[in-house]
């Protein structure tokens, strides 16, 4: 069936470096994508979203890139900080799926001081 | 404060017991969801409700039950039929067409 997945289960970066977390999706009809951050023992928190009519969206220190040609989504975190250490999930949905999200398996980001 | 609350934060169950996890939201969201998360894993959908008095099974509904009698409440019962209930349970809500907002979670452990 359709699925959303991640390339790397764990990413380790040095504090101050930029981080890039990747996500592949297989449903070509997906038109809305979200990145969530989940700290240990807590619920996921919304970070940033992007619609399929865009290929880039920027927030505070975060940028999401969408490549519909290869069905690839990425989250870039600038100047990674220890507080960024968490598991990051991508999620996608389509127009006719209502509020139903399909979640990827997650990538653990570890920031080394 | 507006938001989603889940209680209790930690819950222990003896084998053969039913337990109910609470989820309340005061965001006036129509849709609510329950997910299960196992250690090091992603989120799997148990049940969801798009409107009051209506709910649908998700991918792993066996051994669980829900009700949606009020817009702000969506309790989840883990029944004795659920053979491996130890997990982290997350509730979420969503206004139509937008992202889901998550509660803090309930960690259920079977003794």
């Amino acid at each position: 069936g359709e699925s959303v997945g991640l390339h790397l289960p764990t990413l380790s970066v040095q504090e101050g470096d930029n981080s890039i977390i990747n996500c592949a999706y297989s449903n070509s009809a997906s038109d809305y994508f979200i990145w969530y951050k989940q700290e240990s023992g807590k619920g996921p928190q919304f970070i940033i979203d992007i619609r399929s009519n865009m290929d880039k969206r920027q927030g505070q220190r975060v940028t999401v890139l969408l490549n519909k040609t290869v069905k690839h989504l990425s989250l870039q975190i600038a100047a990674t900080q220890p507080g960024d250490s968490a598991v990051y999930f991508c999620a996608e949905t389509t127009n006719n799926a209502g509020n139903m999200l399909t979640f990827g398996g997650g990538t653990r980001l570890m920031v080394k001081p | 404060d507006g938001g989603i609350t889940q209680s209790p934060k930690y819950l222990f169950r003896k084998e053969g017991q039913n337990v109910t996890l609470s989820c309340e939201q005061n965001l006036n969201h129509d849709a609510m969801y329950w997910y299960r998360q196992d250690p090091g894993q992603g989120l799997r959908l148990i049940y969801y409700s798009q409107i009051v008095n209506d709910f649908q099974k998700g991918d792993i509904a066996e051994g669980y039950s829900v009700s949606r009698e009020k817009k702000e409440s969506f309790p989840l019962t883990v029944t004795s039929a659920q053979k491996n209930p130890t997990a982290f349970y997350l509730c979420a809500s969503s206004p139509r067409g937008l992202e889901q907002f998550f509660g803090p979670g309930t960690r259920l452990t079977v003794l």
Side-chain angles (χ1 to χ4, degrees), chain A residues 32 34 36 38 40-46 49 51 87 89 97-101 103-106 108, chain B residues 9 31 33 35 37 41-43 45 48 50 88 90 94-104 107:
Chain A
Y32 181 58
I34 305 171
Y36 284 95
Q38 186 179 25
S40 182
K42 297 183 179 180
Q45 293 178 293
F46 171 90
D49 60 358
R51 295 198 178 273
V87 176
F89 294 96
N99 301 95
M100 302 304 298
L101 293 175
F103 287 87
R108 182 175 300 280
Chain B
K9 186 173 177 63
Y33 311 81
Y35 294 91
Q37 186 176 36
Q41 303 295 316
L43 281 65
L45 183 65
Y48 64 98
Q50 301 278 29
F88 190 47
L90 288 159
S94 177
R96 289 194 178 278
L98 298 176
E99 74 271 15
Q100 295 180 16
F101 297 82
F102 286 84
R107 187 166 300 280

